[in-house]
């Protein structure tokens, strides 16, 4: 069964450093998402991406964040200058264009900013 | 008022019990209602989805949506220890990017 994959599974970085989180969505999916979950809190929407552009973003997704689909398979989230409060689990999700109700999530990347 | 409210639990039940998990919401624009299961430090796994009001059954799981009361439920029959996880309700509007708005999750433990 196809799955969303994410790398790395864990990343530790120093405050102010740039990080890139990588995702490989399910191959025939066209809508992609990033969510985050701070420890003990709910899953929060960051951004959705379709047809090589951002479809919607939350107020969390400020100028420090960017997304990119650099090739036909990868989908990345970049945080330019990490802050302590960026420490969280980051989940990538994807769905088919005509299946609005079924987003499939990856296993997540645990980011720790020191 | 929070957009989606969910009792965080923890909820502890004996094996074989019927489990009822619930969420309330305030945004009447929500059209799709999902239940995800999340094991510790893992990604959410889609269990069931419902469009608008009504019931949907899948094996031991039944999802109910009452849009007039802005209330959704997930019932688990004959609960098993392997059902022990955190259950997240999630909702989205129709059209556009369909971002999901999640509840906080209810932690369920099914004991032998």
């Amino acid at each position: 069964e196809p799955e969303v994959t994410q790398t790395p599974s864990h990343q530790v970085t120093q405050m102010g450093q740039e990080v890139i989180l990588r995702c490989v969505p399910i191959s025939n999916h066209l809508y992609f998402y990033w969510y985050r979950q701070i420890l003990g809190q709910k899953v929060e929407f960051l951004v959705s991406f379709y047809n090589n552009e951002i479809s919607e973003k939350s107020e969390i997704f400020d100028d420090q964040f960017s997304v990119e689909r650099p090739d036909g398979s990868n989908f990345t989230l970049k945080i330019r200058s990490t802050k302590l409060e960026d420490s969280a689990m980051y989940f990538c999700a994807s769905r088919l264009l005509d299946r609005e109700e079924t987003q499939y999530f990856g296993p997540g990347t645990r980011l720790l900013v020191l | 008022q929070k957009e989606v409210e969910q009792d965080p639990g923890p909820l502890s039940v004996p094996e074989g019990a019927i489990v009822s998990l619930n969420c309330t919401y305030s945004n009447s624009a929500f059209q799709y209602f999902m239940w995800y299961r999340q094991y510790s430090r893992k990604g959410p796994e889609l269990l069931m989805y419902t469009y608008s009001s009504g019931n949907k059954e899948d094996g031991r799981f039944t999802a109910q949506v009452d849009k007039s009361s802005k209330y959704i439920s997930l019932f688990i029959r004959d609960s098993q220890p392997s059902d022990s996880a955190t259950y997240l309700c999630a909702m989205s509007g129709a059209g556009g990017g369909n971002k999901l708005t999640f509840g906080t999750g209810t932690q369920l433990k099914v004991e032998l």
Side-chain angles (χ1 to χ4, degrees):
Chain A
E1 186 173 325
E3 293 179 332
V4 176
T5 60
Q6 290 185 242
T7 55
S9 58
H10 294 79
Q11 177 138 11
V12 182
T13 190
Q14 296 292 322
M15 192 168 55
Q17 294 297 304
E18 175 184 286
V19 295
I20 297 176
L21 310 183
R22 290 182 169 80
C23 168
V24 179
I26 295 172
S27 63
N28 57 343
H29 287 191
L30 296 179
Y31 240 111
F32 314 119
Y33 304 83
W34 284 101
Y35 293 83
R36 79 171 186 191
Q37 186 176 31
I38 294 171
L39 189 63
Q41 297 186 25
K42 64 179 182 178
V43 177
E44 298 175 290
F45 167 77
L46 291 177
V47 65
S48 60
F49 190 87
Y50 168 68
N51 199 26
N52 272 324
E53 58 184 35
I54 290 174
S55 173
E56 188 175 0
K57 61 183 180 180
S58 72
E59 54 190 36
I60 301 168
F61 194 89
D62 61 21
D63 291 345
Q64 292 301 309
F65 291 87
S66 62
V67 289
E68 191 180 29
R69 185 147 164 90
D71 53 43
S73 59
N74 290 283
F75 179 51
T76 62
L77 174 69
K78 183 193 290 187
I79 309 175
R80 259 180 274 283
S81 178
T82 50
K83 305 182 184 73
L84 296 176
E85 54 265 36
D86 293 328
S87 296
M89 194 78 159
Y90 287 81
F91 295 109
C92 174
S94 69
R95 69 167 173 91
L96 291 166
L97 183 59
D98 59 349
R99 294 299 303 272
E100 298 178 43
E101 73 286 356
T102 49
Q103 292 184 28
Y104 293 94
F105 282 72
T109 293
R110 182 166 296 280
L111 176 66
L112 179 60
V113 182
L114 301 176
Chain B
Q1 185 183 11
K2 290 181 184 175
E3 264 196 305
V4 180
E5 302 218 39
Q6 186 175 10
D7 186 338
L11 180 62
S12 184
V13 301
E15 183 179 9
I18 296 174
V19 176
S20 172
L21 304 167
N22 311 293
C23 288
T24 58
Y25 65 95
S26 58
N27 188 345
S28 57
F30 289 142
Q31 296 287 335
Y32 292 99
F33 303 91
M34 283 69 75
W35 286 95
Y36 284 83
R37 179 172 60 197
Q38 187 177 29
Y39 293 110
S40 182
R41 296 177 179 249
K42 302 290 185 186
E45 172 195 6
L46 181 63
L47 278 177
M48 296 185 71
Y49 63 87
T50 313
Y51 175 69
S52 195
S53 283
N55 292 0
K56 189 171 184 178
E57 189 173 319
D58 184 3
R60 297 185 294 113
F61 298 87
T62 300
Q64 285 185 354
V65 174
D66 180 349
K67 289 192 71 180
S68 63
S69 302
K70 296 190 175 69
Y71 188 88
I72 72 169
S73 301
L74 177 71
F75 297 96
I76 307 173
R77 289 183 297 282
D78 187 24
S79 55
Q80 303 294 311
S82 58
D83 295 329
S84 299
T86 296
Y87 289 80
L88 312 174
C89 63
M91 313 180 184
S92 70
N98 296 101
K99 66 175 184 181
L100 296 180
T101 300
F102 281 86
T104 51
T106 299
Q107 187 180 352
L108 171 67
K109 184 170 184 182
V110 181
E111 306 201 71
L112 290 168

